[in-house]
């Protein structure tokens, strides 16, 4: 007997307009409030990956004003937000020297929220890793871009993974040949994901 996977069902459901409408309606009724907030405190990245818009569009190298950051966190406190606060998008979060302090502020203001960061890992050291965890970071998700990581990268990742908190590091490898999102048409990828859809519960 062949078992149909959840992924296959989801792909079928989102392959037509009515299916997407039903799914989004279900999500909005079961969880009317967004479940995650993605922050980008700077617009700077040290890489230009071919599957990222940063490689094709010049962005102003700037940082979020702290008053804006405080306003966002304050608004989340007012609604007692307890979901995921994620540092992501198209920048490298660890280039922002204020980052550990921002993590600490989120944790003290939103104690029930889960904090995560997506990084290319180029600036991650065992010392910074422990500092971020102490500040309240729940997990650090590092994506290795390309097949030839630097010796420094491999050494740092090895030390972190063998430490007592090594399970707080998630490592993924990404290259241009795997199935990828085309970022709403902003980039051309070799194997585009056919069923990309907008998640209404992410801000």
């Amino acid at each position: 007997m062949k078992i149909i996977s959840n992924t296959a069902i989801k792909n079928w459901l989102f392959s037509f307009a009515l299916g997407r409408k039903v799914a989004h309606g279900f999500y909005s009724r079961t969880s009317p409030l967004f479940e995650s907030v993605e922050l980008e405190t700077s617009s700077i990245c040290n890489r230009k990956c071919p599957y990222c818009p940063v490689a094709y569009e010049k962005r102003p190298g700037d940082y979020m004003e702290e008053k804006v950051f405080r306003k966002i966190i304050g608004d989340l406190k007012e609604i007692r937000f307890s979901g995921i606060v994620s540092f992501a998008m198209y920048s490298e979060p660890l280039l922002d020297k204020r980052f550990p302090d921002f993590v600490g502020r989120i944790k003290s203001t939103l104690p029930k929220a889960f904090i995560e960061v997506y990084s290319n890992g180029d600036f991650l050291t065992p010392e910074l890793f422990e500092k971020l965890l102490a500040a309240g970071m729940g997990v650090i998700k590092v994506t290795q871009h390309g097949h030839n990581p630097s010796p420094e990268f491999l050494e740092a990742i090895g030390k972190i993974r063998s430490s007592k908190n090594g399970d707080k590091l998630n490592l993924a490898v990404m290259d241009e040949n795997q199935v990828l999102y085309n970022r709403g048409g902003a980039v051309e990828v070799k194997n585009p994901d056919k069923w990309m859809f907008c998640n209404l519960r992410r801000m």
Side-chain angles (χ1 to χ4, degrees), residues 153-168:
F153 175 90
L154 294 176
E155 181 181 2
I157 295 300
K159 288 182 177 179
I160 291 171
R161 297 185 82 175
S162 63
S163 69
K164 65 177 182 179
N165 293 315
D167 61 328
K168 302 296 184 183

Side-chain angles (χ1 to χ4, degrees), residues 39-50:
L39 297 178
E40 191 178 44
T41 64
S42 82
S43 58
I44 304 170
C45 187
N46 63 305
R47 286 179 172 266
K48 292 185 181 298
C49 302

Side-chain angles (χ1 to χ4, degrees), residues 38-49 51-55 57 59 87-93 95 118 120 181-187 196:
E38 293 186 4
L39 297 178
E40 191 178 44
T41 64
S42 82
S43 58
I44 304 170
C45 187
N46 63 305
R47 286 179 172 266
K48 292 185 181 298
C49 302
Y51 37 78
C52 177
V54 173
E57 297 181 12
R59 307 181 78 200
F87 289 88
M89 295 303 289
Y90 301 131
S91 65
E92 171 47 50
L95 282 172
Y118 289 81
N120 60 37
Y181 303 140
N182 67 4
R183 304 296 176 180
V187 296
M196 181 58 180

Side-chain angles (χ1 to χ4, degrees), residues 6-172:
N6 289 334
T7 301
I9 295 174
K10 186 189 77 170
N11 287 344
W12 172 79
L13 183 64
F14 289 121
S15 66
F16 55 96
L18 180 59
R20 292 192 293 273
K21 185 174 182 179
V22 170
H24 290 161
F26 173 78
Y27 286 142
S28 64
R29 289 179 181 274
T30 56
S31 180
L33 185 66
F34 49 88
E35 63 183 16
S36 68
V37 175
E38 293 186 4
L39 297 178
E40 191 178 44
T41 64
S42 82
S43 58
I44 304 170
C45 187
N46 63 305
R47 286 179 172 266
K48 292 185 181 298
C49 302
Y51 37 78
C52 177
V54 173
Y56 306 97
E57 297 181 12
K58 184 175 177 57
R59 307 181 78 200
D62 208 352
Y63 292 89
M64 178 188 289
E65 294 183 19
E66 289 200 30
K67 66 179 181 181
V68 175
F69 177 82
R70 292 194 296 269
K71 176 68 165 59
I72 294 171
I73 303 307
D75 288 349
L76 292 174
K77 180 181 179 180
E78 287 186 9
I79 61 174
R80 300 177 181 179
F81 182 71
S82 60
I84 299 172
V85 177
S86 178
F87 289 88
M89 295 303 289
Y90 301 131
S91 65
E92 171 47 50
L94 300 188
L95 282 172
D96 191 339
K97 301 302 183 183
R98 308 167 298 173
F99 187 62
D101 293 333
F102 282 169
V103 172
R105 183 169 296 179
I106 293 173
K107 194 61 180 178
S108 62
T109 307
L110 308 170
K112 293 185 178 180
F114 183 82
I115 309 171
E116 64 180 17
V117 60
Y118 289 81
S119 169
N120 60 37
D122 289 347
F123 304 96
L124 185 62
T125 63
E127 294 75 23
L128 179 56
F129 176 77
E130 294 297 336
K131 185 176 182 179
L132 291 174
L133 292 184
M137 183 69 66
V139 66
I140 299 176
K141 300 182 177 181
V142 172
T143 302
Q144 174 189 319
H145 298 275
H147 298 287
N148 298 302
S150 68
E152 294 79 11
F153 175 90
L154 294 176
E155 181 181 2
I157 295 300
K159 288 182 177 179
I160 291 171
R161 297 185 82 175
S162 63
S163 69
K164 65 177 182 179
N165 293 315
D167 61 328
K168 302 296 184 183
L169 174 73
N170 290 352
L171 179 64

